[in-house]
Amino acid sequence: MTGPLTDRPADTSPLPALAPVLALDIGGTSMRAALVQGGRVLERVEARTPRPATPEAVIAAALELARPLAARAEAVGVACAGAVARGRVTATAAHTFPGWVDIPLAERLGAGLGRPCAALNDARAAAWGEFAAGAGVGTTEFMFVTVSTGVGAGLVLGGQLHLAGNGLDAELGFVSVPARWHAGAPTPAGALAPLEFESSGTALNARAAALGFADARALCDAADAGDAAADAEYRHSAAGLAWKIADIAALLGVTRVALGGSVGLRPGYRSRVQEALAAFPERYRPEVVHAALGADAGLIGAALWAQRSAQRAAAGMV
């Protein structure tokens, strides 16, 4: 059996010990392939993402990278940037992934590797990995948020990964907050901007340059060391995210949020998010923790999702 597998949410019963799964993580800068078994990475390889990252170039490079591992795998799981629905990918950053409009990624990779294949957005894959084998274990309403170059997220509700038909499953970076650093469009509520423009590592890089720091890391380090101007910018980023976390808790009953990404994993960022959340009613303050799987969350989540999907397909549960 080859080709795309269903995106239907899976149950959360324990996994039996099965053969390894081949996981692929396709990003704008690099792509990784790994053999994953039982939530643990056994072996991995990495390569640069082709430039330009057209569908044909990326798929060819992914197949070349993954083929040496495929013979030992029972299925393939893919984590990919962009809107992913039913194994098909449409870029949300067309300048990074030109020509990616409704590309049947799972079908192409499954056929090329001779294995059943399931694909998820990279943040949703990381959310599933953290829920199944990391910081989300023991919850049923869980959100993973990555704060890095951008802001991405994934939601698990009732123990099931939330997957929307249009691929916009938990696009936290797209929600609106008051525009302070970027010119926002005027609305009846005032000037608003996407959260990503106010809370991401890219936004912090811009603020760092304005204050004379080398980059976002230097700004955050200065804030942690007591620099008041740097701290104000750092807190603005954290406060915008905290507000949206409180909104999600009020809307969906999320009880634990795991922060990942180069900014989100900083202890100082988490503490500032928690401090900002203290301004909201207690019922809207979920537990905020650091993600446990690090950079492997997407690989592990994609592998576990593909394994579960293959089991369901074999049982006729599609």
Side-chain angles (χ1 to χ4, degrees):
M1 173 181 168
T2 62
L5 298 174
T6 177
D7 283 340
R8 178 178 175 176
D11 63 73
T12 57
S13 56
L15 281 170
L18 296 174
V21 174
L22 171 59
L24 275 162
D25 189 347
I26 300 173
T29 302
S30 65
M31 56 177 63
R32 297 179 297 154
L35 283 175
V36 179
Q37 186 173 33
R40 185 169 62 93
V41 174
L42 304 177
E43 184 179 340
R44 78 184 78 219
V45 290
E46 185 171 348
R48 301 287 291 181
T49 302
R51 284 284 174 267
T54 61
E56 291 303 321
V58 169
I59 290 170
L63 288 172
E64 181 180 359
L65 184 68
R67 278 196 181 104
L69 302 178
R72 294 153 57 192
E74 66 164 3
V76 180
V78 184
C80 183
V84 183
R86 296 174 296 279
R88 306 179 76 89
V89 179
T90 296
T92 52
H95 61 285
T96 302
F97 287 98
W100 286 75
V101 179
D102 199 33
I103 301 300
L105 182 64
E107 180 181 348
R108 294 281 302 277
L109 292 177
L113 295 170
R115 297 289 184 273
C117 182
L120 291 172
N121 165 272
D122 51 1
R124 261 63 90 192
W128 187 248
E130 288 289 343
F131 170 73
V137 170
T139 67
T140 55
E141 275 66 42
F142 170 74
M143 181 166 69
F144 166 80
V145 181
T146 177
V147 185
S148 187
T149 302
V151 177
L155 279 167
V156 176
L157 303 174
Q160 298 181 340
L161 185 63
H162 173 61
L163 294 172
N166 65 357
L168 300 178
D169 315 299
E171 293 292 354
L172 199 66
F174 294 172
V175 302
S176 297
V177 294
R180 173 176 155 189
W181 293 345
H182 296 265
T187 74
L192 302 176
L195 176 67
E196 194 164 279
F197 287 13
E198 301 290 321
S199 292
S200 66
T202 300
L204 282 169
N205 269 329
R207 297 313 301 161
L211 291 177
F213 293 103
D215 53 22
R217 176 181 295 179
L219 182 146
C220 296
D221 287 344
D224 288 338
D227 185 297
D231 188 55
E233 305 295 356
Y234 201 12
R235 287 185 182 278
H236 175 69
S237 168
L241 180 62
W243 179 12
K244 296 299 118 178
I245 287 173
D247 283 351
I248 293 294
L251 286 168
L252 301 173
V254 166
T255 58
R256 187 180 301 163
V257 175
L259 300 180
S262 58
V263 177
L265 284 172
R266 292 183 65 101
Y269 194 78
R270 174 172 167 259
S271 66
R272 286 167 175 81
V273 170
Q274 291 172 315
E275 289 167 15
L277 272 174
F280 295 88
E282 184 176 1
R283 69 175 62 186
Y284 308 141
R285 300 199 304 257
E287 180 185 12
V288 178
V289 301
H290 278 141
L293 302 180
D296 287 338
L299 287 170
I300 291 170
L304 293 177
W305 186 257
Q307 185 178 81
R308 186 74 76 177
S309 298
Q311 290 173 349
R312 295 181 69 88
M317 301 169 65
V318 296

